[in-house]
Amino acid sequence: MHTRFILINTSHAGNVGAAARAIKTMGFDDLVLVAPRWANVLRREETIQRASGALDVLDKCRIVDTLDEALDGITHLCATAMTPRDFGPPTTTPREHFEALSKKELLAQTPSAPGNDLASEPATLGQQGIGFLFGSERFGMRNEDVYRCHVCLSIPSNPSFGSLNIGAALQVIAYEWRLALGGFGVQSPVAPSHLADAAQVTGMLTHLEQSLVQLGFLDPAAPKKLMPRLNALFNRAQVTQEEIHILRGIAKAILQQSSQSPARSADLVAVDGKPVLKG
């Protein structure tokens, strides 16, 4: 479904840039300005700064004189307003309305479904265009513009302070609509790690056991349950192959250091009751 964001009588240039950035982060790029305060708003420094890299959206953005010009190809129109009106389209939350739209599309794609009254509609949502209207920062949306819409979207917010900056409101709407369309998968900043298999864990434990014996921490004649407990610990930790390499590197360093300067009992003296090497 083609998506368009329409700003009516925008008075602050920075909000145009913020709008471009907001919709680009959610994968949209169709922005239309209806009679903005500044004729050169797309080239103003504040607009470009607030766009923060979404210059392609600004390049594509259209400026028109009337709302009619902004609505070409739009078949479903959503107003955005905090204050409910006594007359006009129904008011609902973005998420609730978008879920209803998704259900409507599914029904339209299954015309044989029993009791499917919506399936008889000639076009599915995928063949239509949806538009989101945002009013002026100074006076919001005019009643005559709201009346033209199919629905009025109200973002759930603090009842005693529900006024959102237009850029913030647009970001919320764009996010909710993107979620309804399926959203974007979260991309991991690092390559996925591979868990170590049982053989790798066993090899690491054998190596670690040798280093603990060399340190004198583990008595091979009376090991008790030290190694089984360490085995259980590493199983719970679900160590990766990279972590196995680190642990084996530590064990190797211990063994090398111990072989180069063995600590024999004759070389030890007592300091504050603790054994330390002479010299």
Side-chain angles (χ1 to χ4, degrees):
M1 188 179 208
H2 183 73
T3 302
R4 180 175 300 154
F5 295 86
I6 303 168
L7 276 56
I8 305 173
N9 303 134
T10 308
S11 59
H12 296 288
N15 284 336
V16 174
R21 180 180 183 181
I23 67 173
K24 182 172 182 176
T25 61
M26 292 297 110
F28 305 113
D29 62 2
D30 191 351
L31 179 65
V32 177
L33 309 180
V34 178
R37 177 184 180 186
W38 310 97
N40 67 338
V41 65
L42 298 177
R43 298 186 299 276
R44 294 181 71 86
E45 182 179 356
E46 185 181 2
T47 305
I48 295 172
Q49 289 179 345
R50 292 285 300 278
S52 188
L55 299 182
D56 53 333
V57 177
L58 293 181
D59 290 340
K60 185 178 178 181
C61 178
R62 293 188 295 131
I63 297 179
V64 297
D65 294 326
T66 65
L67 180 56
D68 284 328
E69 296 174 82
L71 298 182
D72 57 300
I74 300 299
T75 55
H76 188 80
L77 199 55
C78 304
T80 55
M82 181 185 70
T83 306
R85 286 163 168 78
D86 295 333
F87 177 78
T91 298
T92 183
T93 66
R95 186 166 300 183
E96 182 180 3
H97 184 61
F98 296 158
E99 287 176 353
L101 285 181
S102 298
K103 181 179 179 181
K104 181 178 180 180
E105 181 176 18
L106 289 174
L107 289 174
Q109 293 173 352
T110 53
S112 60
N116 184 359
D117 296 332
L118 296 174
S120 59
E121 295 187 2
T124 67
L125 296 179
Q127 299 169 312
Q128 303 175 15
I130 186 170
F132 298 106
L133 298 186
F134 296 83
S136 168
E137 303 94 326
R138 292 178 293 176
F139 51 80
M141 288 199 64
R142 301 181 306 173
N143 286 337
E144 50 264 43
D145 293 332
V146 174
Y147 296 158
R148 300 184 63 174
C149 297
H150 298 83
V151 68
C152 185
L153 302 179
S154 180
I155 298 172
S157 55
N158 184 352
S160 61
F161 190 73
S163 178
L164 277 77
N165 171 272
I166 189 171
L170 199 146
Q171 183 73 79
V172 172
I173 297 294
Y175 170 74
E176 290 286 351
W177 180 230
R178 174 52 64 190
L179 282 186
L181 294 176
F184 293 124
V186 176
Q187 298 180 352
S188 174
V190 296
S193 298
H194 300 285
L195 292 178
D197 59 29
Q200 291 171 320
V201 174
T202 299
M204 180 272 297
L205 286 169
T206 300
H207 204 170
L208 184 59
E209 181 179 14
Q210 294 170 357
S211 66
L212 294 177
V213 170
Q214 189 70 27
L215 281 175
F217 185 83
L218 173 63
D219 182 359
K224 299 183 180 180
K225 294 183 178 180
L226 176 61
M227 297 315 298
R229 290 185 184 279
L230 287 177
N231 199 155
L233 184 154
F234 289 120
N235 284 343
R236 289 197 305 273
Q238 293 188 307
V239 289
T240 65
Q241 295 178 6
E242 293 83 359
E243 291 165 342
I244 288 290
H245 295 323
I246 293 172
L247 291 168
R248 295 200 69 159
I250 294 172
K252 180 180 179 181
I254 292 173
L255 290 170
Q256 288 177 340
Q257 185 68 24
S258 297
S259 64
Q260 292 171 3
S261 55
R264 296 169 303 188
S265 58
D267 298 322
L268 298 176
V269 296
V271 177
D272 295 331
K274 297 180 180 180
V276 297
L277 287 173
K278 292 179 180 179

